Amino acid sequence: MKAYVFPGQGAQFTGMGKDLYDANPKAKELFERANEILGFRITDVMFEGTADELKQTNVTQPAVFLHSVVTALCAEEFTPDMVAGHSLGEFSALVACGALNFEDALNLVAKRAAAMQKACEMNPSTMAAILGLSDEDVEKVCEGVEGVVAANYNCPGQLVISGSKEGIEAACEAAKEAGAKRALPLPVGGAFHSPLMEPAREELQKAIVETTLNTPKCPIYQNVNAQPQTDPSVIKENLIAQLTAPVKWTQTVQAMITDGAAEFIECGPGKVLSGLVKKVDRKMPVSSL
């Protein structure tokens, strides 16, 4: 069985998608439609913008989404047996499996980016990657620091934590004392996948509730519980919960393998997820579209 996986924020790079735009008329049409929907030429930033311009949340999220979705929709062969996306990538996965249409998903991604940016400005906060500790040990560190939570279970030995700037600083020190190989503050705008994103969750909830979701062509394994889902109403609930809940990526990959995934194909910019899959199961074949 083929498992297609879609990356999240952080996978962007200057020039992303230009080869698709130039070579494929369908891709060009989708990119130009995105420019219309967003109200600015995101393709200009994607193809020629600086790294700093691409880092802006209102650009990064739609850009990564676009690259991933256009890659999937324009592929010569795209026959997923199961899909999953890391954080933002869940929206790309929903388009790829037919649960969301392109326009609705892009509108949701743009609203999500704006809502998250606003939440970041309301509560100055950040994230850090803890390397070389078990998930349980990192969870204990978080329990000992007020306002810090586990945010991204990326792979065994790599867990990203989220919270206030002071809390993350204290948690990094505590993690090192507990034996972490490294505790790295991340260059992000806020505490994603934590209770500090509650204002963004409330703002996005209304938009998701009002958006039509179809039954997907194959199961989507969602971030909040790492379980396969095909019921549109449950998919919506999980999508709303995702902003303040941790991304259970390690558990998602493990569940997909348990359910028969024999190959993982990364769809979108970069190869971050391919590396994470290999850290879950080093024998698993991985490739990119």
Side-chain angles (χ1 to χ4, degrees):
M1 292 174 79
K2 289 181 180 178
Y4 283 81
V5 292
F6 297 81
Q9 198 164 340
Q12 69 276 4
F13 62 90
T14 298
M16 60 191 285
K18 189 167 190 317
D19 53 343
L20 278 165
Y21 183 97
D22 290 341
N24 189 308
K26 184 181 177 183
K28 184 175 182 178
E29 187 183 322
L30 288 167
F31 277 124
E32 288 297 344
R33 180 78 187 105
N35 287 333
E36 288 173 25
I37 292 167
L38 294 171
F40 70 99
R41 290 195 63 79
I42 193 169
T43 48
D44 291 351
V45 190
M46 290 171 69
F47 302 164
E48 295 156 19
T50 64
D52 280 344
E53 287 170 331
L54 267 176
K55 261 190 222 171
Q56 296 171 50
T57 300
N58 69 318
V59 172
T60 308
Q61 294 198 22
V64 172
F65 166 84
L66 268 175
H67 188 286
S68 300
V69 168
V70 172
T71 299
L73 297 182
C74 295
E76 284 183 20
E77 186 193 350
F78 184 77
T79 51
D81 297 301
M82 50 180 80
V83 295
H86 190 289
S87 188
L88 161 73
E90 194 157 280
F91 288 84
S92 311
L94 284 166
V95 177
C97 69
L100 268 176
N101 73 40
F102 175 76
E103 288 82 1
D104 286 346
L106 182 55
N107 275 314
L108 285 178
V109 166
K111 285 174 183 171
R112 181 182 191 264
M116 287 173 76
Q117 185 62 42
K118 206 188 296 179
C120 291
E121 288 162 6
M122 285 168 64
N123 293 298
S125 51
T126 191
M127 303 173 84
I130 310 300
L131 309 179
L133 280 184
S134 70
D135 290 349
E136 292 75 21
D137 285 341
V138 178
E139 287 164 355
K140 280 179 193 166
V141 166
C142 291
E143 285 166 15
V145 183
E146 189 178 349
V148 174
V149 297
N152 296 347
Y153 291 78
N154 283 337
C155 65
Q158 185 188 130
L159 205 164
V160 173
I161 59 175
S162 200
S164 68
K165 289 184 177 178
E166 304 78 20
I168 290 296
E169 202 174 303
C172 283
E173 288 307 312
K176 287 174 191 170
E177 286 168 17
K181 288 180 184 171
R182 298 178 82 183
L184 304 169
L186 299 177
V188 295
F192 304 146
H193 300 289
S194 83
L196 290 174
M197 285 293 115
E198 179 59 24
R201 189 197 69 78
E202 288 174 4
E203 202 169 316
L204 194 63
Q205 180 171 5
K206 185 172 182 289
I208 289 174
V209 167
E210 291 172 354
T211 300
T212 300
L213 217 83
N214 305 308
T215 302
K217 296 170 189 169
C218 66
I220 176 165
Y221 287 66
Q222 290 190 274
N223 290 177
V224 296
N225 58 13
Q227 295 300 307
Q229 193 51 253
T230 55
D231 181 333
S233 61
V234 179
I235 291 172
K236 278 190 179 186
E237 287 171 18
N238 291 340
L239 208 54
I240 292 162
Q242 192 220 58
L243 271 182
T244 52
V247 174
K248 296 185 174 178
W249 190 253
T250 304
Q251 299 88 329
T252 294
V253 174
Q254 289 167 337
M256 293 172 104
I257 292 169
T258 298
D259 292 348
E263 177 187 1
F264 280 77
I265 300 147
E266 186 162 4
C267 196
K271 295 185 178 179
V272 171
L273 299 185
S274 299
L276 297 181
V277 169
K278 280 289 189 186
K279 285 177 180 170
V280 174
D281 182 345
R282 61 188 178 83
K283 293 179 182 174
M284 180 59 60
V286 297
S287 61
S288 303
L289 263 187

